[in-house]
Amino acid sequence: MSMKQVTVAVEGHQYPIFIGSPLLTTASFKDFISSNQVLIISNPTVAAHYLAPLQSALDEFDCEVFLMDDGESYKSLTTFNLIMERLISLGMRRNATIVALGGGVVGDIAGFSAACYQRGVPFIQVPTTLLAMVDSSVGGKTAVNHPLAKNMIGAFYQPQAVIADLACLKTLPQREFNAGMAEVVKYGLIDDFSLFEKIEQNLPHLQPDNSALMAEIVERCCEIKAKVVALDEKETGVRAHLNLGHTFGHAIEKIGDYSRWLHGEAVAIGTLMAMALAEQNNLIDPEYYHRVKTVFACLGLPTSIPDSISSERLIEVMRHDKKNLSEHIRVVVPTGPGVVKVTDEFSVAELCAAIDSGRVTL
Ligand SMILES: NC(=O)c1ccc[n+]([C@@H]2O[C@H](COP(=O)([O-])OP(=O)(O)OC[C@H]3O[C@@H](n4cnc5c(N)ncnc54)[C@H](O)[C@@H]3O)[C@@H](O)[C@H]2O)c1
């Protein structure tokens, strides 16, 4: 077994992220479980591959399972309520542990359930998608969706540990893997340009079964996220840098009814819009924009939205993003390789120009 470890430290709490393979069956879960009561939350797609090995790793505990339906639309208050019913009817106590086995959907709702049940029970993240390994399982943001808006009901609630078994990536659909790579690229653009260069140089080798390379990549992303979260757990400052491409991206996802584009795909398009904005306003070189566009294209990610979606319509949806604190639209833009800033200095006309320039095909 090879394993890397990254530590996340926030005020009053510190926890490890273990990255390696195989981990599901070998990680020492018991170090992070404080009573014999455990509820695993997963979905049938993930459970078909990984529930049995996880259950055998946890066989010394009294382990129950809640399987939610698979899909973003089930990250809902209805599913949350079913989880609460299960926890209560099982007589789960305050020191019971919830284990989230799955991607960001399972992780977000399991984490929110852990935050709420009896005002907070311990939980462990076992992320099984690339996006969950590098992003959603780390940093303590948990949420469910409301019919009127995504991720609107949630809590900052940190896990006891994150156990990322890279072997799980091998069963992930290629499109989901590619979408996770969009978030990986993001880390390179916001904090560590050498990570971006590593991706650029290793494009043919970035495969789900290349566990050695993926371990290095996932570790670096988790280090960056851990650093940012340690500085700003509640997103009053630098944590906003993680939203590069997300103001545009969330609007793209919404216009696509959360089904046309995966989150990472929308983030890739949104990142290019943010880069076009920076390039058109002389914050970065055109060459930087084109390098990133080429990398996204090589990773099988979309780089533009169809002409049928006007820039005005996208802007209108962006105005309603919960992260827009003011009248102006707040975006993260690159200011150089591996450096970004948060700004609301751009006019609607400048934002529209950036959105429209993204329509030019490679
Ligand atoms: N909390 C945060 O900080 C944060 C950050 C980013 C995204 N998110 C949230 O994460 C969610 C998206 O997460 P996601 O991209 O992981 O999607 P997801 O959880 O929907 O997983 C994608 C698909 O892959 C399947 N799957 C998962 N692991 C698999 C595996 N190993 N093998 C085969 N299939 C597998 C799932 O069942 C699902 O069908 C969104 O709800 C988003 O809001 C949260």
Side-chain angles (χ1 to χ4, degrees), residues 200-258:
E200 203 175 35
Q201 287 153 15
N202 284 283
L203 283 167
H205 311 296
L206 289 165
Q207 299 297 335
D209 58 357
N210 190 341
S211 292
L213 179 61
M214 291 314 298
E216 285 176 38
I217 299 261
V218 172
E219 180 188 30
R220 188 68 200 111
C221 294
C222 289
E223 281 170 356
I224 296 169
K225 182 135 189 197
K227 180 179 79 174
V228 171
V229 168
L231 289 169
D232 177 24
E233 184 187 2
K234 303 278 165 66
E235 197 175 315
T236 54
V238 73
R239 188 164 181 169
H241 289 182
L242 296 168
N243 297 327
L244 174 65
H246 283 64
T247 311
F248 293 105
H250 286 152
I252 293 166
E253 274 187 282
K254 187 159 191 197
I255 285 178
D257 213 12
Y258 298 102

Side-chain angles (χ1 to χ4, degrees), residues 77-251:
L77 284 171
T78 307
T79 309
F80 170 81
N81 200 30
L82 292 171
I83 295 171
M84 291 302 122
E85 277 175 20
R86 179 67 69 81
L87 286 162
I88 295 165
S89 60
L90 286 169
M92 290 281 179
R93 295 182 295 273
R94 285 197 68 182
N95 56 0
T97 297
I98 290 178
V99 178
L101 173 70
V105 166
V106 166
D108 275 12
I109 195 167
F112 183 59
S113 301
C116 294
Y117 184 63
Q118 300 211 26
R119 300 186 188 85
V121 295
F123 89 112
I124 297 174
Q125 289 271 22
V126 184
T128 60
T129 65
L130 180 56
L131 180 133
M133 290 179 190
V134 299
D135 194 1
S136 61
S137 70
V138 179
K141 278 193 185 178
T142 72
V144 294
N145 301 324
H146 185 273
L148 293 177
K150 213 180 157 228
N151 290 331
M152 268 295 171
I153 303 158
F156 286 97
Y157 193 66
Q158 304 288 345
Q160 299 303 307
V162 181
I163 295 170
D165 188 332
L166 299 165
C168 295
L169 298 178
K170 293 179 193 169
T171 55
L172 195 61
Q174 186 69 41
R175 189 177 166 199
E176 296 286 351
F177 180 81
N178 298 348
M181 281 306 301
E183 297 283 3
V184 171
V185 170
K186 176 195 78 180
Y187 286 108
L189 304 181
I190 66 166
D191 191 82
D192 179 4
F193 195 63
S194 68
L195 172 62
F196 176 79
E197 289 175 318
K198 185 172 195 156
I199 295 162
E200 203 175 35
Q201 287 153 15
N202 284 283
L203 283 167
H205 311 296
L206 289 165
Q207 299 297 335
D209 58 357
N210 190 341
S211 292
L213 179 61
M214 291 314 298
E216 285 176 38
I217 299 261
V218 172
E219 180 188 30
R220 188 68 200 111
C221 294
C222 289
E223 281 170 356
I224 296 169
K225 182 135 189 197
K227 180 179 79 174
V228 171
V229 168
L231 289 169
D232 177 24
E233 184 187 2
K234 303 278 165 66
E235 197 175 315
T236 54
V238 73
R239 188 164 181 169
H241 289 182
L242 296 168
N243 297 327
L244 174 65
H246 283 64
T247 311
F248 293 105
H250 286 152

